[in-house]
């Protein structure tokens, strides 16, 4: 059967049009897939605390400071993101697992202690820091050198704090426990001699004591009432990301950046940190 030249040309035009459309669709799909999998490195969303001086703090001018922020920034850079490509998202303690599981953040660096209960829902990289429960007292107070000294004294912590209950039930049952809405309120009470001590992780206490307005007012008792291994939380089963973050943490310690970040953020409170812990997660 003969086909006219006009018909043949029309058929070729239609074929080319279909091919171009298919190619365009494939390119768009590929770009979409790259973005969903993190292949397109436009930005990375990282969870931090916004209200912990020295660790994770959002300042009134919209900047982010603290040891956890420095760790998060270093890790993100090792993953291929510059500081201006990082979007920090507030990760309050009660929402950390949900933020990770829902994909709202790539990872979380927020004084996130590794424990078995949390590992049922998320995975961790690290640990990158070893903290201990401690006491913060007034700089001129020499009456509290051990937990038992809190008997008959006023101990402050935030409402629902496991740290305060640990002291009250196990170490100083006769302590007068006062629970307030935030650590800043406890600090005000400590400064005004309404309470005698504040308890939580030593890293958090050091961060508050290191603030410019608090320098010289408080000191850490130097006790180790518990071990808190801070890890970087990530989606369960993401072994590739876990491996990359662990490698970044190792590099941060080896090149001196880890110690520099500790000294810069917690050093003003005369805080003596433990050496960087051995990485155990994912091994």
């Amino acid at each position: 059967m003969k086909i006219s030249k006009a018909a043949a040309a029309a058929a070729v035009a239609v074929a080319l049009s279909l091919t171009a459309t298919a190619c365009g669709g494939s390119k768009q799909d590929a770009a979409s897939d790259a973005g969903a999998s993190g292949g397109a490195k436009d930005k990375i969303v990282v969870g931090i605390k916004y209200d912990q001086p020295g660790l994770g703090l959002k300042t009134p001018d919209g900047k982010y400071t603290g040891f956890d922020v420095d760790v998060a920034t270093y890790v993100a850079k090792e993953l291929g993101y510059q500081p201006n490509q990082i979007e920090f998202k507030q990760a309050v303690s009660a929402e950390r697992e949900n933020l990770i599981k829902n994909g709202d953040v790539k990872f979380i660096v927020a004084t996130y202690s590794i424990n078995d209960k949390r590992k049922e829902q998320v995975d961790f990289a690290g640990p990158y820091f070893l903290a201990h429960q401690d006491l913060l007292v007034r700089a001129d107070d020499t009456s509290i050198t051990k937990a038992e000294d809190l008997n008959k004294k006023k101990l402050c912590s935030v409402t629902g704090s496991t740290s305060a209950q640990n002291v009250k039930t196990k170490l100083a049952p006769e302590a007068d426990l006062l629970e307030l809405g935030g650590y800043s309120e406890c600090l005000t009470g400590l400064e005004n001699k309404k309470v005698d001590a504040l308890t939580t992780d030593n890293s958090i206490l050091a961060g508050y004591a290191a603030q410019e307005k608090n320098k010289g007012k408080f000191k850490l008792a130097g006790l180790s009432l518990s071990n808190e291994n801070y890890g970087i939380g990530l989606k369960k089963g993401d072994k590739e990301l876990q491996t990359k973050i662990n490698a970044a943490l190792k590099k941060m310690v080896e090149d001196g950046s880890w110690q520099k970040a500790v000294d810069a953020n917690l050093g003003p409170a005369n805080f003596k940190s433990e050496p960087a812990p051995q990485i155990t997660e994912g091994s």
Side-chain angles (χ1 to χ4, degrees), residues 65 99 108 170 173 213 260:
T65 65
L99 288 171
I108 286 179
K170 299 177 182 178
K213 63 181 180 180
K260 184 178 179 181

Side-chain angles (χ1 to χ4, degrees), residues 30-125:
S32 176
D33 289 344
S37 65
K41 297 199 173 185
D42 295 326
K43 70 172 185 177
I44 186 170
V45 184
V46 181
I48 60 168
K49 290 289 181 68
Y50 277 13
D51 59 352
Q52 289 185 341
L55 293 161
L57 182 70
K58 184 177 182 180
T59 61
D61 59 358
K63 294 180 180 179
Y64 303 93
T65 65
F67 175 69
D68 280 351
V69 175
D70 289 347
V71 171
T73 302
Y74 189 101
V75 169
K77 186 175 182 181
E78 289 301 302
L79 294 176
Y81 299 89
Q82 295 303 309
N84 63 359
Q85 294 176 291
I86 303 171
E87 178 185 324
F88 288 116
K89 188 176 183 69
Q90 186 173 22
V92 298
S93 295
E95 288 298 318
R96 287 178 297 202
E97 287 81 18
N98 288 334
L99 288 171
I100 292 170
K101 290 191 291 184
N102 294 339
D104 296 321
V105 296
K106 191 70 172 178
F107 59 84
I108 286 179
V109 191
T111 58
Y112 203 0
S113 295
I114 300 169
N115 62 42
D116 291 339
K117 184 177 181 181
R118 288 170 178 162
K119 286 170 71 172
E120 292 175 2
Q121 302 184 66
V122 301
D123 278 341
F124 287 94

Side-chain angles (χ1 to χ4, degrees), residues 21-37:
T21 301
C23 288
S26 297
K27 185 176 181 180
Q28 184 177 9
D29 291 343
S32 176
D33 289 344
S37 65

Side-chain angles (χ1 to χ4, degrees), residues 8 18 60 71 110 151 210 279:
L18 290 172
V71 171
N151 283 313
I279 290 175

Side-chain angles (χ1 to χ4, degrees), residues 24-260:
S26 297
K27 185 176 181 180
Q28 184 177 9
D29 291 343
S32 176
D33 289 344
S37 65
K41 297 199 173 185
D42 295 326
K43 70 172 185 177
I44 186 170
V45 184
V46 181
I48 60 168
K49 290 289 181 68
Y50 277 13
D51 59 352
Q52 289 185 341
L55 293 161
L57 182 70
K58 184 177 182 180
T59 61
D61 59 358
K63 294 180 180 179
Y64 303 93
T65 65
F67 175 69
D68 280 351
V69 175
D70 289 347
V71 171
T73 302
Y74 189 101
V75 169
K77 186 175 182 181
E78 289 301 302
L79 294 176
Y81 299 89
Q82 295 303 309
N84 63 359
Q85 294 176 291
I86 303 171
E87 178 185 324
F88 288 116
K89 188 176 183 69
Q90 186 173 22
V92 298
S93 295
E95 288 298 318
R96 287 178 297 202
E97 287 81 18
N98 288 334
L99 288 171
I100 292 170
K101 290 191 291 184
N102 294 339
D104 296 321
V105 296
K106 191 70 172 178
F107 59 84
I108 286 179
V109 191
T111 58
Y112 203 0
S113 295
I114 300 169
N115 62 42
D116 291 339
K117 184 177 181 181
R118 288 170 178 162
K119 286 170 71 172
E120 292 175 2
Q121 302 184 66
V122 301
D123 278 341
F124 287 94
Y128 66 92
F129 193 85
L130 174 59
H132 303 288
Q133 183 185 344
D134 200 354
L135 304 174
L136 191 71
V137 298
R138 288 182 291 277
D140 60 356
D141 189 344
T142 58
S143 67
I144 301 173
T145 58
K146 57 185 183 298
E148 290 79 4
D149 292 335
L150 289 171
N151 283 313
K152 308 294 187 182
K153 291 183 179 289
K154 291 184 178 180
L155 172 67
C156 191
S157 196
V158 296
T159 302
S161 165
T162 55
S163 298
Q165 293 301 326
N166 182 43
V167 172
K168 178 73 175 174
T169 59
K170 299 177 182 178
L171 303 171
E174 295 181 47
D176 183 6
L177 178 58
L178 176 65
E179 293 182 292
L180 298 177
Y183 293 118
S184 295
E185 297 173 56
C186 284
L187 277 172
T188 299
L190 186 58
E191 183 177 4
N192 297 336
K193 299 187 177 181
K194 301 293 185 183
V195 298
D196 300 299
L198 162 61
T199 188
T200 188
D201 294 355
N202 56 3
S203 55
I204 298 173
L205 296 174
Y208 278 104
Q211 285 185 290
E212 191 65 36
K213 63 181 180 180
N214 294 327
K215 286 182 180 178
K217 295 180 181 179
F218 310 108
K219 66 181 179 183
L220 292 163
L223 308 181
S224 297
L225 305 179
S226 71
N227 293 327
E228 306 294 336
N229 282 290
Y230 293 165
I232 294 180
L234 61 144
K235 186 164 286 188
K236 198 163 184 64
D238 194 341
K239 298 301 181 185
E240 181 180 359
L241 181 61
Q242 184 184 52
T243 299
K244 289 180 178 179
I245 293 177
N246 280 338
L249 293 175
K250 288 178 182 176
K251 183 177 178 181
M252 187 177 187
V253 173
E254 290 168 357
D255 69 14
S257 299
W258 183 91
Q259 190 61 55
K260 184 178 179 181

